[in-house]
Amino acid sequence: MAQTPSSSLDHLSESELTARLDQEVLPKHVAVIMDGNGRWAELRGLPRIAGHREGINSVREMIAQCLELGIRALTIYAFSQENWNRPSQEINALMGLLEHYLSTERDKLIEQQVRFRAVGRLELLPESAQHWVRTTEKETAHLDKMALTVALSYGGRAEIVDAVKGLLRDAASGTVQPDRIDEALFDRYLSTHPLPDPDLLIRTSGETRISNFLLWQLAYTELYFTPTLWPDFRRREFLLALIEYQRRERRFGRVLSTVSS
Ligand code: FPP
């Protein structure tokens, strides 16, 4: 059962929290459902887009912190399939923010040696957003310090359906033998391949659902839920999540004595 961190850490500063972190037991891959931007803005009497804009600052900080800590993969849920049901004004503003982020932040990502990839039904994005996604993917394709994956127009069930379609096509053409299909082979048909599964999923804003995010990949992931709204989820909050992650027994359904690491 997911837990929020103990209040015993509440009084500690960022450097004290960093000192508590075991550098040897950090997640290799962190996934994030960035929730609560709208509420953050509404609480301040601001338009919802102001919350999304502030949320980008949290994204920037998390990328920097992952790089500092040596966390090699970060996957963020920026726009779900269900988000297409939002008012068109908000959708347009979000797409505008995405384009602005990619067009202005590309050089920084390159300097940081971050490889950018987008997953989801990207063909549904406006042409100009697709352009910036493709350009950023191409210009960062050779970088390998960290993999930043942004889920856009993404749904976990749709991803699984697409993987099944790919498998069936290859089975029909004879490149895949149905008897040989196993979990590792199936994984190769998912859009996140070749990333390892996330070790830690963070969801902000007090919601405790997976909301169709990385359904296959989260099978053994530690889930961390916090009431903090995404624009307020900054370095200290991330450290609390990492400390909580390190506290948990990672048993993968086996008995602890048989787990080697
Ligand atoms: C959920 O908050 C957040 C989103 C739907 C969008 C997240 C997008 C960003 C942080 C900016 C774009 C990201 C990049 C990488 C450019 P919500 O609107 O559902 O908040 P609420 O639940 O309080 O209404």
Side-chain angles (χ1 to χ4, degrees), residues 5-6 12 18 21 71 95 100 105 108 119-120 144-145 157 172 181 183 191 215 218 251 256:
S6 145
L12 297 183
T18 306
L21 215 52
I71 294 172
M95 292 300 149
H100 180 75
E105 213 87 352
K108 175 107 184 267
V119 294
D144 65 357
K145 192 156 178 198
R157 287 185 176 179
I181 298 172
E183 292 177 15
S191 59
L215 292 181
L218 293 178
R251 298 166 62 129
L256 203 55

Coordinates of all heavy atoms in Angstrom, one line a residue, residues 5-6 12 18 21 71 95 100 105 108 119-120 144-145 157 172 181 183 191 215 218 251 256:
P5 N 5.2 10.1 3.1 CA 6.4 10.1 4.0 C 6.0 10.4 5.4 O 5.1 11.2 5.6 CB 7.4 11.0 3.4 CG 6.6 11.9 2.4 CD 5.4 11.2 2.0
S6 N 6.8 9.9 6.3 CA 6.5 10.2 7.7 C 6.8 11.7 8.0 O 7.7 12.3 7.5 CB 7.5 9.3 8.5 OG 7.9 10.0 9.7
L12 N 13.1 18.7 8.1 CA 14.5 18.7 7.6 C 14.6 19.6 6.3 O 13.7 19.7 5.5 CB 14.8 17.2 7.2 CG 14.9 16.3 8.4 CD1 15.3 14.9 7.9 CD2 15.9 16.8 9.5
T18 N 18.9 15.3 1.5 CA 19.8 14.7 0.5 C 20.8 13.8 1.2 O 21.1 12.7 0.7 CB 20.6 15.9 -0.2 OG1 19.6 16.8 -0.8 CG2 21.5 15.3 -1.3
L21 N 19.7 10.4 1.8 CA 19.4 9.5 0.7 C 20.6 8.5 0.5 O 21.7 8.9 0.6 CB 19.4 10.5 -0.6 CG 18.4 10.1 -1.7 CD1 17.0 9.9 -1.2 CD2 18.5 11.3 -2.7
I71 N 19.8 9.7 -11.9 CA 18.6 8.9 -12.3 C 18.5 9.0 -13.8 O 18.4 10.1 -14.4 CB 17.3 9.5 -11.6 CG1 17.4 9.2 -10.1 CG2 16.0 8.8 -12.2 CD1 16.3 9.9 -9.2
M95 N -1.2 22.9 -25.7 CA -0.4 22.7 -26.9 C 0.6 23.8 -27.2 O 1.8 23.6 -27.5 CB -1.3 22.4 -28.2 CG -2.1 21.2 -28.1 SD -1.1 19.7 -27.9 CE -2.1 18.6 -27.0
H100 N 6.1 25.9 -27.0 CA 7.0 26.9 -26.5 C 8.1 26.2 -25.7 O 9.3 26.5 -25.8 CB 6.2 27.8 -25.5 CG 7.1 28.9 -25.0 ND1 7.6 30.0 -25.7 CD2 7.7 29.1 -23.7 CE1 8.3 30.7 -25.0 NE2 8.4 30.2 -23.7
E105 N 13.5 25.1 -25.0 CA 14.3 24.3 -24.1 C 15.2 23.3 -24.8 O 16.0 22.6 -24.1 CB 13.3 23.6 -23.1 CG 13.8 23.4 -21.7 CD 13.5 24.6 -20.8 OE1 13.1 25.7 -21.3 OE2 13.8 24.5 -19.6
K108 N 18.8 23.6 -24.1 CA 19.2 23.2 -22.7 C 19.2 21.7 -22.6 O 20.1 21.1 -21.9 CB 18.1 23.8 -21.8 CG 18.2 23.4 -20.3 CD 18.7 24.6 -19.5 CE 18.9 24.3 -18.0 NZ 17.8 24.6 -17.2
V119 N 5.7 9.7 -26.4 CA 4.9 8.5 -26.7 C 3.5 8.9 -26.6 O 3.1 9.8 -25.9 CB 5.3 7.4 -25.6 CG1 6.7 6.9 -25.8 CG2 5.0 7.8 -24.2
G120 N 2.7 8.1 -27.3 CA 1.2 8.4 -27.4 C 0.8 8.5 -28.8 O 1.5 8.3 -29.8
D144 N 22.7 10.5 -24.2 CA 22.3 9.3 -23.3 C 22.6 9.5 -21.8 O 22.6 8.5 -21.1 CB 23.1 8.1 -23.8 CG 24.6 8.3 -23.6 OD1 25.0 9.3 -23.2 OD2 25.3 7.3 -24.0
K145 N 22.7 10.8 -21.4 CA 22.8 10.9 -19.9 C 21.5 10.6 -19.2 O 21.5 10.1 -18.1 CB 23.3 12.4 -19.6 CG 23.8 12.5 -18.2 CD 24.7 13.7 -18.0 CE 25.1 13.8 -16.6 NZ 25.7 15.1 -16.3
R157 N -4.1 1.7 -22.3 CA -4.8 0.6 -23.0 C -4.6 0.7 -24.5 O -4.4 -0.3 -25.2 CB -6.3 0.7 -22.7 CG -6.6 0.2 -21.3 CD -8.1 0.2 -21.1 NE -8.5 -0.4 -19.8 CZ -9.7 -0.5 -19.3 NH1 -10.7 -0.1 -20.1 NH2 -9.9 -1.0 -18.1
A172 N 1.5 -12.6 -38.6 CA 0.9 -12.9 -40.0 C 2.0 -13.0 -41.0 O 2.0 -13.8 -42.0 CB -0.1 -11.8 -40.3
I181 N 5.9 -16.0 -28.2 CA 5.6 -14.8 -27.5 C 5.7 -14.9 -26.0 O 5.0 -15.8 -25.4 CB 4.2 -14.3 -28.0 CG1 4.1 -14.1 -29.5 CG2 3.8 -13.0 -27.2 CD1 2.8 -13.8 -30.0
E183 N 6.7 -12.3 -22.2 CA 6.6 -10.9 -21.7 C 7.7 -10.0 -22.3 O 7.4 -8.8 -22.7 CB 6.6 -10.9 -20.2 CG 5.3 -11.5 -19.6 CD 5.3 -11.6 -18.1 OE1 6.2 -10.9 -17.5 OE2 4.5 -12.3 -17.5
S191 N 5.6 1.4 -26.7 CA 6.2 2.6 -27.1 C 7.4 3.0 -26.2 O 8.2 3.8 -26.6 CB 5.2 3.8 -27.2 OG 4.6 4.0 -25.9
L215 N 0.2 1.1 -18.1 CA -0.5 0.0 -17.4 C 0.3 -1.2 -17.4 O 0.4 -1.9 -16.3 CB -1.8 -0.3 -18.1 CG -2.9 0.8 -18.0 CD1 -4.2 0.4 -18.7 CD2 -3.2 1.2 -16.5
L218 N 3.8 -0.6 -15.2 CA 3.8 -0.3 -13.7 C 3.5 -1.5 -12.9 O 3.3 -1.4 -11.7 CB 2.7 0.7 -13.4 CG 2.9 2.1 -14.0 CD1 1.7 3.1 -13.7 CD2 4.2 2.8 -13.4
R251 N 10.0 -6.4 -2.9 CA 10.0 -7.9 -2.9 C 9.7 -8.6 -4.2 O 9.9 -9.7 -4.4 CB 9.0 -8.3 -1.8 CG 9.4 -7.9 -0.4 CD 8.3 -8.0 0.5 NE 7.9 -9.4 0.7 CZ 7.8 -10.0 1.8 NH1 8.1 -9.4 2.9 NH2 7.5 -11.3 1.9
L256 N 11.9 -12.0 1.0 CA 13.0 -11.1 1.0 C 14.4 -11.7 0.9 O 15.2 -11.2 0.2 CB 12.9 -10.2 2.2 CG 13.5 -8.8 2.2 CD1 13.0 -8.1 1.0 CD2 13.3 -8.1 3.4

